[in-house]
Amino acid sequence: MSGWLARFGFKLGRVAGSVLRRSRPAASAAISPPATSTEWDSAPASSNLGVFALSEAEMAERKIIVTAMGELELPTGEIIACDPLITGLERPVFSRKVRPGCYPVTLLEAQGRVAAAVLRFGTGLPVRWELAAFVRDVGTSSWKSGFIVDDNVASFMDKSVLTLMSDQEELDSYLADVACSFDKFRMDNPVDGNPLNIAMFDTGFGDGNYYSFWGLDAAGEPLVLMTDFEVLENADGRESSQSNS
């Protein structure tokens, strides 16, 4: 693994009960979503998946800043991505699970905004990509697999957070307090002394419906989960006039 991922992508992550093996990076050409893959039929694809093949120099040239948030605890391996200020059933869980463990969260910033949030589960570059569907959307049209943001903030958390507190109102109140208390991003522990935490971050240009993508290795195992907040264009963080010059 080389480039910005070597510095920010998987230095700190650990998987429960095992040590991750280093793998040889895949070719850069493998980053593009396959045109014939059924995962992409009728589904929104991102033009920004090639960002993972960029070197640090290329990231700098494209005005993309990489910020390491810290490690996210995933004791069940079931990941929620949501606007934490939307209550009730609007905290969807991805249908694909990862191995329980603790994984680094990285933000990509451009034009003074959070352009993408990335969870990293292993070394190497993905060889194919898959639109990340939620449990609620399995068997339905893939374009429904985004999540709605109404308050300019999104989050990653383990499913177990939903049952960490005694009642739903207590959890809603906690999430609202944290979401309104940070500038750009924050990693927070709901319960003192408990390692379970939540990653919260601003969302690009604000409210919208945002999609996430699994980057998979040759065996179909997840290496990366990326939520794209639609600031980058073709893996470029510069204003359109600059990137086309």
Side-chain angles (χ1 to χ4, degrees):
M1 185 170 58
S2 61
W4 67 272
L5 281 177
R7 288 186 58 198
F8 299 98
F10 208 69
K11 272 194 170 183
L12 302 177
R14 62 185 186 277
V15 173
S18 68
V19 177
L20 283 160
R21 295 170 294 177
R22 291 191 175 275
S23 58
R24 185 184 301 274
S28 299
I31 294 297
S32 300
T36 58
S37 173
T38 55
E39 287 102 338
W40 297 91
D41 292 346
S42 305
S46 170
S47 69
N48 298 315
L49 303 179
V51 73
F52 293 97
L54 298 179
S55 66
E56 288 191 70
E58 289 170 321
M59 294 285 280
E61 179 184 358
R62 296 174 182 223
K63 306 296 183 185
I64 302 172
I65 298 170
V66 183
T67 302
M69 279 191 67
E71 295 181 329
L72 183 67
E73 296 281 346
L74 296 174
T76 70
E78 296 182 78
I79 304 168
I80 291 173
C82 68
D83 177 341
L85 294 175
I86 297 179
T87 60
L89 299 178
E90 292 304 316
R91 292 182 182 137
V93 181
F94 287 115
S95 59
R96 180 184 283 275
K97 300 178 184 179
V98 300
R99 295 177 66 186
C102 186
Y103 299 101
V105 182
T106 304
L107 300 181
L108 304 183
E109 299 181 58
Q111 302 173 35
R113 302 174 185 276
V114 176
V118 179
L119 264 166
R120 183 78 173 169
F121 309 107
T123 57
L125 292 176
V127 300
R128 66 185 181 91
W129 290 88
E130 171 185 288
L131 181 67
F134 294 106
V135 171
R136 68 182 185 194
D137 300 322
V138 172
T140 66
S141 298
S142 54
W143 61 266
K144 294 181 179 179
S145 294
F147 64 91
I148 295 172
V149 170
D150 280 338
D151 300 284
N152 194 39
V153 61
S155 59
F156 288 149
M157 66 184 85
D158 189 83
K159 181 181 178 181
S160 60
V161 170
L162 299 184
T163 57
L164 185 62
M165 297 185 177
S166 58
D167 60 66
Q168 186 66 48
E169 289 187 3
E170 184 180 4
L171 176 62
D172 292 344
S173 177
Y174 159 75
L175 292 173
D177 287 345
V178 176
C180 296
S181 66
F182 65 83
D183 179 23
K184 278 197 180 178
F185 63 89
R186 181 172 172 181
M187 191 81 80
D188 198 82
N189 297 80
V191 177
D192 290 342
N194 189 323
L196 193 63
N197 56 358
I198 299 173
M200 295 192 193
F201 28 81
D202 290 347
T203 54
F205 292 101
D207 301 345
N209 190 48
Y210 295 109
Y211 294 89
S212 304
F213 303 88
W214 294 106
L216 308 176
D217 65 14
E221 293 298 319
L223 296 178
V224 168
L225 176 67
M226 169 185 169
T227 299
D228 187 354
F229 296 123
E230 303 174 1
V231 175
L232 305 180
E233 184 176 353
N234 296 319
D236 199 317
R238 295 170 289 183
E239 300 283 356
S240 296
S241 59
Q242 292 179 287
S243 59
N244 293 331
S245 59

